Every structure is written in C-alpha cells, then in structure tokens.
Amino acid sequence: MFNLHQWLRVLCSLVLAIALSLVGIDRAIAAPLAPNKQPAKEVKVELGSLAGDLKFFPADMAFAAGKRYKLILSNPSPVKHYFTAKDFAGAIWTQKVDAGNVEIKGAINELELRPGTQAEWVFVAIRPGTYSLRCVIPGHTEAGMVGTIKIA
Ligand SMILES: [Cu+2]
C-alpha cells in the first residue's frame, strides 16, 4: 500500500506534468514565427523598360518592419541599371541575394543588373523610415530613375 508521502509525490509530479504540458501547448500557440522563418512576401520591381524608359516600375515601395520580403528585381531594358538604396540597405537585415546560380549572403548595398537579368533579394525590414532609391548610371538619376522606399 502507498503511504501518504508516496501519494503526495505522485500527485505532485502529476500536477507538474500537467502544468508543463499546458505551458508547452500555450507556447506553441502563442509564439509568432521568427521573422527569418516567415514566408517571404514577393514584391516585383522592374529597372527600366523594354522601350528604354529610365524609371523604376514601381518607383515607390512600402514594407512593414518585422516582415520578411523577397524583392524580385528584373531589368527588361536594353541597358544596364543599378538598384542603389544605401540607407535602405542599412535599415534591413539581408538574408540573401539570389542572382542566377549565385547566392550572396550578408550585407548588400547596391545591385547592378545587366540587360535581361534578374535578382531576388530576401530580407527582413527592420528600421522604419523613408529611404531614397536611384540608379547611379550617369544620366539615369537625372532622367528620373529614382524612387522611394518606405518602412512603416
Ligand atoms: Cu539606370
């Protein structure tokens, strides 16, 4: 026969086990996905156009802090373009840039896209602000190849 002491031990471990499982379930339900594990929201931007426009399409982009994005950049135009947004690059956490068969990790400031190329920039938006974007090819900024990127 169990004595009182043994019964209390059984009861205590049972209560503890139930409490732990409840906490565990609670955590699993309540914990948000870490930003680097969230599905990335795709945003497409074209640098120039087939007709030779010196613009970004779209010129203005908006992201939400704490969210993960896949910025798909493509250059359908006949000339080379840059996606230069240094302050924006400092306000995000870059996970990777996929360009052709090459995957680049770490900080990225600027991307150069040759005609007909595409790159995917996966990042988590961090610091709210309004950042400027431009193409640094001589004459392109002046011609209107500029934009703004907002992190709200
Ligand atoms: Cu350009």
Side-chain angles (χ1 to χ4, degrees):
M1 278 292 284
F2 280 13
N3 61 30
L4 182 63
H5 185 69
Q6 284 171 318
W7 274 115
L8 279 175
R9 277 175 61 178
V10 169
L11 194 65
C12 278
S13 47
L14 204 66
V15 168
L16 190 64
I18 291 169
L20 282 176
S21 70
L22 285 178
V23 168
I25 290 166
D26 200 38
R27 285 230 176 100
I29 294 167
L33 274 176
N36 60 335
K37 303 250 167 71
Q38 290 170 13
K41 189 178 181 216
E42 292 191 358
V43 175
K44 292 183 181 174
V45 176
E46 293 187 346
L47 286 71
S49 71
L50 197 55
D53 292 296
L54 296 176
K55 284 181 182 166
F56 291 99
F57 299 94
D60 302 317
M61 285 142 252
F63 303 103
K67 298 285 178 208
R68 185 167 177 250
Y69 295 92
K70 182 193 276 185
L71 183 58
I72 303 172
L73 303 173
S74 64
N75 180 357
S77 84
V79 297
K80 186 167 82 176
H81 291 298
Y82 276 77
F83 189 96
T84 304
K86 289 184 178 155
D87 293 337
F88 167 71
I92 64 175
W93 175 60
T94 296
Q95 263 187 299
K96 62 172 181 172
V97 171
D98 261 315
N101 292 320
V102 181
E103 188 177 300
I104 302 131
K105 307 270 193 188
I108 301 285
N109 277 327
E110 179 175 68
L111 290 171
E112 176 192 308
L113 278 88
R114 290 185 295 279
T117 57
Q118 179 172 307
E120 296 180 355
W121 190 348
V122 180
F123 63 86
V124 177
I126 304 283
R127 200 164 52 245
T130 301
Y131 307 99
S132 63
L133 162 70
R134 66 192 196 100
C135 173
V136 295
I137 301 278
H140 288 199
T141 296
E142 295 77 2
M145 198 158 183
V146 295
T148 59
I149 309 176
K150 276 185 190 156
I151 297 179

